[in-house]
Amino acid sequence: MRTIRTHASRPRPLTLISTGVLALAVAGCTDPTIEDTSADPGASTSGTTGAEDVIVASASDPDTFNPVLGYARWGDGKVSEGLVALTDDLTVEPLLADAPPEVSEDGLTYTVGLQQDVLFHDGTELDAQDVVATYQAAVDPENASPVAADLTAMEQVEAVDEHTVRFTLEAPQSSFVTAMVLGIVPAETVRDLDAETAPPGTGPYRMESYRPGERLVLEANEDYWGEQPQVQRATFVFVDDDASRAARVASGEVDAAILPTQALDRFESDPDWEVVRRDTADFRALVMPESDPVAGDPAIRRALHTGIDRQALVDGALAGAGRPAYGPIPPEAPEYSEVVETGTDVAGAEDLLDEAGWVVGDDGVRSKDGRRAAFVLMFPAGDTLRQNVALEVQAQADALGIEVETEGLSWEAIEPRMSEDAVVYGSGNPYNADLSTYPLFHSSRAFQGFDNPGGYDSAEMDAALEAGRAAQDDDARVQAYADVQEQLAQDLPWVFLAYVEHDYVIRADTWSGYDVPLVEPHEHGLQGGPWWNLQAWTGGAR
């Protein structure tokens, strides 16, 4: 068998220009809950070797199937489609739009023509009112949609005619086109925000059946306006236990699966299986709440930032399947700045704590003014990887005299406590610096769901983020995000640890077309993995 290994590469700079010619970028994900909400279906499923069918074992089902509520936030919904679509080279191309958007000289108006004769799964025809209704619902505060963070500059969306939409912005937003991956739903159903029901989409697949926590079955849309997919039926079984997914692969019950690195050895030398390893911008970080007297202390944060050995964490907690991370913008991005980087300096970290008055006690734990250097670090109980990260941080912090109490909880229990207790957080995307920073660190997003969960508030950071969002040329954007990263390096509201590699296995010599150089974002359930471009697969050995 062969192992497919995709490597991160520095994307070419993206420039936003006016009236008909537009370089496009694509949105990322900031929801850290994606991986950890499923239950083991406990039911056997027979695998298939037919090229028209595929059975995939995924770690979890999505929190929602509604694009307005954040489903497939960067566009690959399979059931739903946006005005533009993600490509594997970190750009986007028109999809439901019939051409790249026309942008006014001042960057405040985007005019989009729509493909004609496109049908939703319920048989209604796509028109401009559907686009208007979808975007209006996404920014409606009553819906509390995570997508709203990507649309903060949008002042108005209106139908120019039946097949033309105009967006008007309050201020230029360099990343606005990335918001156009938002899946469009019919105006008549847009207010039906049932998270477990997929509203009618225009995509190549429709939902045949769904049992929460068990399985999702997609069938090809026979009325699809584009090219009919060769894979006619896809079954996703949701198995949260790593060992159970590996066992299902080994028994032939499924055709593909996401697996932890530790489970890949048995498949590396098996000619029936192909291992796919993908580099990512999917980071793990410690969100350090501003209100906590220990986790919010600048000396504690800086000591962890400089005292944690990130490579040792990668080698241990991630079994080598990752790389050190120092900030939210991955090194491949043109906006990346080395100012966030640091070497491991345990002695220097100890000196920082000493100078700040954190004195080592008889039990090895530091204290200051009668307060122990101790804080709680939460992680989702069903996520083995984040548990391993939490335990590694606990061990390394202990050597510095900082006591970390790890606590595995459900996301329902974690969310209301993020303003008070630290959490192992996951997010990241390789597509756009604005959408990988603004929702996480702008003060206006504090405590908005999983945006800015620690309540970080910095006027200097807000100004830098706003400058990056408004930048209309490459140089201005790069400078703005250099300022963003400089501010992060000074304030250290979070301690970034590692980018996590995503690993998969797939039945060998059955499908072609999934071997693409895709650097993956955080989410990798139904939207990531070799099945990212399921509709483009073809059958037969390569």
Side-chain angles (χ1 to χ4, degrees), residues 68 74 170 175 349 461:
V68 170
W74 47 90
E170 294 179 337
S175 65
M461 176 60 80

Side-chain angles (χ1 to χ4, degrees), residues 403-487:
E403 182 178 61
V404 176
E405 179 186 347
T406 62
E407 192 169 349
L409 301 166
S410 67
W411 278 115
E412 289 74 16
I414 289 173
E415 185 172 3
R417 288 177 50 182
M418 291 189 299
S419 62
E420 302 172 355
D421 291 320
V423 63
V424 180
Y425 189 97
S427 185
N429 77 80
Y431 315 123
N432 189 278
D434 173 35
L435 297 181
S436 63
T437 55
Y438 190 100
L440 301 184
F441 301 112
H442 197 278
S443 63
S444 68
R445 301 304 301 168
F447 312 123
Q448 299 297 307
F450 288 94
D451 288 354
N452 194 355
Y456 175 53
D457 187 348
S458 164
E460 293 81 5
M461 176 60 80
D462 285 354
L465 290 169
E466 290 160 9
R469 176 158 280 197
Q472 294 295 292
D473 63 73
D474 291 341
D475 290 343
R477 184 172 59 254
V478 168
Q479 181 56 57
Y481 289 106
D483 294 341
V484 166
Q485 290 164 97
E486 175 69 35
Q487 199 64 44

